[in-house]
Amino acid sequence: MQSAVVLLALLGLTSAAPRPQQIDTAGVEAAPDPVFVTPPYNVLEQTGASNEPVIAPRNRLHKRDGNCAPQPAGSGPVSSPDTPEAFLANPAYPELAQSAPTPDGYSAAMINGAGSLSASKYMGLRTLKSYDTLGCASLCDQATGCQAFNMYIERDPTLDPNMVNCPNPPSLTNFKCTLWGATVSAAQATNKGQWRDEFHVVIAGSNAYNKATPPSAIACYTGPDALGGAINAPKNALGQDTYMGYKYHPFSQSQGYDPSTCAADCNSETAYNSRHPAADGSYQSCVFFNAYVLSMNGVPQGLYCSMYTQVWAASYATNYGQYRGTDRYTVSRSFSYSLNPANDASGTCRSIPSSSSSSSMTSTTSSSATSVAPATTTTTSEGSSSTSSTMETSTSSTSSTTTSSESSTSTTTTSSEPSTSSTTTTSAAPTTSSSSTTSSSTSTTSTSSTSTSATPSATGFCLLNPSTGEYASLSRNGNGLEFAPKTSKNLPSLYKLDSSSRLVSTVTGLLASLQMPTFGKDGSAAGHVTGTELDRLDQNPNYEPLVCDVAGGDLKCRSPASYIDPVKTPATRTQVYTLTEGNNGVDKILFAPASGAVAVKVRPAAECGPEYS
């Protein structure tokens, strides 16, 4: 009897076991073959899938005879002699492919292949002005569902070949970028070219890249939602700026790409604001953030966290990067997350201050915020230029300002002046001012560019030439520290003083440095200031960081004499002046008044923003 019971029990276990989960290779073999698509040769741009078949033999293409019409000019070098064999043997093409940067957020599937991809889920083609893997990756990021791209060099005819009148015209060289909705491999690079009458189309320098997997979900937030660039949000329907500012985390041994770092920034910002409400008890709540990698010249620099008081749709992610002088800044691995306290598995969300009520100037609260779709969107050519930069700090026009003594996340930079927002929260606690907070003012903010803050914070300010109304930008080349009219390509820099009182750009991390061969070592009163990376200071003895003080609204820095003879003037900081000289408008820095020189003034972030470089 007992054995019968055991047998019945075993039978029960057998019937309850899951079905076999081995891969059904027989079923896969019986399914239809995958469809592979080869992008067309005779177009410069194509959006969406193509039904063009895999390249046919030469004798089948005579039906598609051209009319000798001139073709758009190419951007690449033409081989000499102008033959297919010379094109394939040209060493310039492999060099372009092998030296191209692998875009952040992608892994290389093929480098310098001899053919372009013929694969599944073809999504379109663009002809670029250069061999630009970063631009091609940006196009893939902007295309919903894109998982891979192929960058290659193609020999094309200058005329549409015709068997009678122009069977083999001279060639041109195109840089082509194709997008794919599925993972690709080098084995799919089977498209080696085609014959167009007597003209031979051939391919070289073919690189293919697959997109990395998206980041993980984060407790208390909905997401991640993939974005084609960084969020560039306009004012909301009430005319309010919902951008709260950003935190930037340079990559290091302890900091990598981790959007949960941005979530912590978002939560900390709300918690800090709740402890320092405005006079009416309201404060800003961070309900949405955009986490992305900022790269310079293809090298990832750090994690950039932009925070908002309102949720914005992916169609607003129109900032694909920008140029700063010759340096190219690009956006990658851009994802957004929106606060959703219901998404709580561990009670974490209960520690985030929540909205109890909204003031008359608010729109939605954090838990009910909804995405807003734009009326218009902005695109860029070749995925290389930017619409407007989100690499900025908070735009402050609120009457209540706080100091940075309680600012969260020690390794980040942010404006110390919180912006006005669409979502403010009323605190139940009475409003009291502590020693770490500046007392709030009830005066109405002026609509002019004049700031309401009397003393700019040392963690977020810009530099002004009061005679011209121009703000200073800082670059590592060109004119270095330059006062110039603000344009989309020439944005003012936002500065801070680091722990050693050195003048630093909060966006790029560049230190304002004296070029000592022309500044001070020969006793001269004027000289040039340039932007320098911290790790280059020890490598170049000709650079010395500008050590400054910004108290009272004036830029005061140590004079060159401090570096020549530290015993004579060990810590003296004197007023800094600027003088524009020469036909090229180069700005020089002086430590004493001179004819035509103007004292440099320190202004708060709100005055020169909201866009910074």
Side-chain angles (χ1 to χ4, degrees):
M1 177 65 70
Q2 184 176 3
S3 59
V5 172
V6 172
L7 179 59
L8 289 174
L10 290 174
L11 288 173
L13 288 173
T14 303
S15 62
R19 290 183 295 175
Q21 297 177 37
Q22 291 88 355
I23 297 174
D24 183 7
T25 54
V28 171
E29 287 290 332
D33 291 334
V35 176
F36 298 123
V37 176
T38 297
Y41 293 93
N42 56 345
V43 299
L44 295 182
E45 182 174 342
Q46 184 181 55
T47 302
S50 168
N51 293 322
E52 183 160 331
V54 175
I55 298 306
R58 178 178 176 183
N59 60 5
R60 291 182 55 188
L61 293 178
H62 291 173
K63 298 176 183 177
R64 295 171 49 192
D65 222 6
N67 57 6
C68 296
Q71 303 299 291
S75 300
V78 175
S79 301
S80 179
D82 189 2
T83 64
E85 293 76 19
F87 179 93
L88 294 173
N90 191 332
Y93 304 146
E95 182 178 350
L96 285 173
Q98 292 167 350
S99 63
T102 298
D104 177 72
Y106 289 82
S107 60
M110 172 178 63
I111 299 295
N112 193 34
S116 63
L117 294 177
S118 182
S120 301
K121 296 287 288 183
Y122 170 62
M123 296 183 63
L125 175 150
R126 285 283 295 272
T127 300
L128 307 185
K129 297 297 184 183
S130 63
Y131 196 96
D132 187 7
T133 53
L134 301 180
C136 195
S138 179
L139 293 172
C140 184
D141 289 342
Q142 297 168 49
T144 302
C146 183
Q147 295 297 316
F149 70 88
N150 184 197
M151 184 84 220
Y152 56 94
I153 307 168
E154 186 174 280
R155 179 180 188 264
D156 291 323
T158 55
L159 304 175
D160 190 10
N162 177 275
M163 181 57 74
V164 176
N165 299 315
C166 56
N168 187 22
S171 76
L172 55 85
T173 303
N174 280 321
F175 299 110
K176 293 196 171 182
C177 162
T178 57
L179 309 182
W180 303 88
T183 301
V184 299
S185 70
Q188 294 171 303
T190 57
N191 181 12
K192 305 299 174 104
Q194 72 169 173
W195 287 92
R196 296 179 61 185
D197 290 330
E198 298 300 324
F199 185 89
H200 195 186
V201 176
V202 287
I203 291 165
S206 181
N207 288 6
Y209 303 87
N210 289 312
K211 184 177 289 187
T213 56
S216 302
I218 299 175
C220 312
Y221 286 85
T222 297
D225 295 318
L227 304 177
I231 290 290
N232 188 20
K235 291 184 177 180
N236 66 8
L238 297 178
Q240 299 164 336
D241 188 358
T242 66
Y243 176 56
M244 296 180 68
Y246 74 90
K247 294 287 184 74
Y248 175 68
H249 303 268
F251 287 150
S252 65
Q253 286 295 101
S254 59
Q255 178 66 59
Y257 177 70
D258 183 5
S260 67
T261 304
C262 298
D265 291 339
C266 188
N267 299 343
S268 296
E269 194 73 12
T270 299
Y272 177 82
N273 292 345
S274 70
R275 296 193 302 271
H276 303 84
D280 62 356
S282 65
Y283 60 91
Q284 293 177 303
S285 291
C286 178
V287 302
F288 176 77
F289 68 84
N290 177 197
Y292 61 89
V293 173
L294 181 65
S295 297
M296 183 180 71
N297 301 325
V299 179
Q301 301 294 303
L303 175 65
Y304 204 98
C305 309
S306 297
M307 295 171 284
Y308 298 83
T309 61
Q310 178 175 309
V311 178
W312 292 96
S315 47
Y316 282 100
T318 57
N319 183 358
Y320 311 123
Q322 69 182 55
Y323 279 89
R324 175 69 172 161
T326 58
D327 291 323
R328 182 182 184 182
Y329 289 88
T330 51
V331 172
S332 59
R333 284 193 274 183
S334 182
F335 292 87
S336 66
Y337 294 79
S338 54
L339 185 64
N340 180 12
N343 230 5
D344 187 11
S346 61
T348 305
C349 305
R350 287 193 289 273
S351 64
I352 304 173
S354 60
S355 301
S356 56
S357 64
S358 297
S359 70
S360 59
M361 293 299 293
T362 67
S363 57
T364 56
T365 60
S366 62
S367 61
S368 60
T370 56
S371 295
V372 180
T376 59
T377 57
T378 306
T379 58
T380 60
S381 174
E382 310 305 348
S384 61
S385 62
S386 170
T387 53
S388 64
S389 170
T390 61
M391 285 165 274
E392 59 195 40
T393 61
S394 172
T395 59
S396 175
S397 58
T398 180
S399 59
S400 175
T401 59
T402 61
T403 65
S404 60
S405 60
E406 282 196 64
S407 180
S408 61
T409 317
S410 60
T411 60
T412 65
T413 59
T414 185
S415 171
S416 63
E417 306 173 37
S419 64
T420 56
S421 79
S422 64
T423 304
T424 57
T425 309
T426 302
S427 171
T431 58
T432 58
S433 223
S434 68
S435 59
S436 64
T437 359
T438 304
S439 59
S440 62
S441 167
T442 57
S443 61
T444 304
T445 303
S446 169
T447 56
S448 70
S449 61
T450 303
S451 170
T452 59
S453 175
T455 304
S457 165
T459 59
F461 59 87
C462 44
L463 300 177
L464 171 70
N465 180 336
S467 68
T468 62
E470 296 173 349
Y471 296 95
S473 57
L474 181 67
S475 66
R476 66 168 53 81
N477 45 34
N479 290 342
L481 188 72
E482 175 186 21
F483 292 88
K486 183 166 63 173
T487 67
S488 60
K489 292 186 177 180
N490 189 69
L491 298 171
S493 295
L494 196 73
Y495 301 94
K496 69 174 182 178
L497 298 183
D498 68 6
S499 58
S500 300
S501 296
R502 296 176 299 190
L503 187 63
V504 182
S505 167
T506 64
V507 175
T508 64
L510 294 176
L511 278 71
S513 302
L514 304 172
Q515 289 187 328
M516 297 304 290
T518 61
F519 200 158
K521 288 215 170 181
D522 59 355
S524 62
H528 194 54
V529 173
T530 191
T532 308
E533 291 88 347
L534 178 61
D535 58 4
R536 291 191 182 182
L537 285 176
D538 295 335
Q539 300 173 14
N540 193 336
N542 295 325
Y543 288 141
E544 290 288 353
L546 209 55
V547 179
C548 304
D549 180 21
V550 297
D554 296 325
L555 181 65
K556 295 183 178 181
C557 302
R558 289 209 316 234
S559 69
S562 301
Y563 300 106
I564 299 170
D565 188 355
V567 176
K568 189 181 300 181
T569 51
T572 301
R573 293 184 175 89
T574 59
Q575 178 69 57
V576 176
Y577 297 83
T578 181
L579 178 66
T580 302
E581 294 184 344
N583 294 330
N584 58 355
V586 173
D587 289 295
K588 290 191 175 181
I589 299 300
L590 299 86
F591 287 87
S595 177
V598 179
V600 176
K601 298 295 182 181
V602 177
R603 304 308 303 161
E607 183 172 316
C608 53
E611 297 171 357
Y612 308 100
S613 63

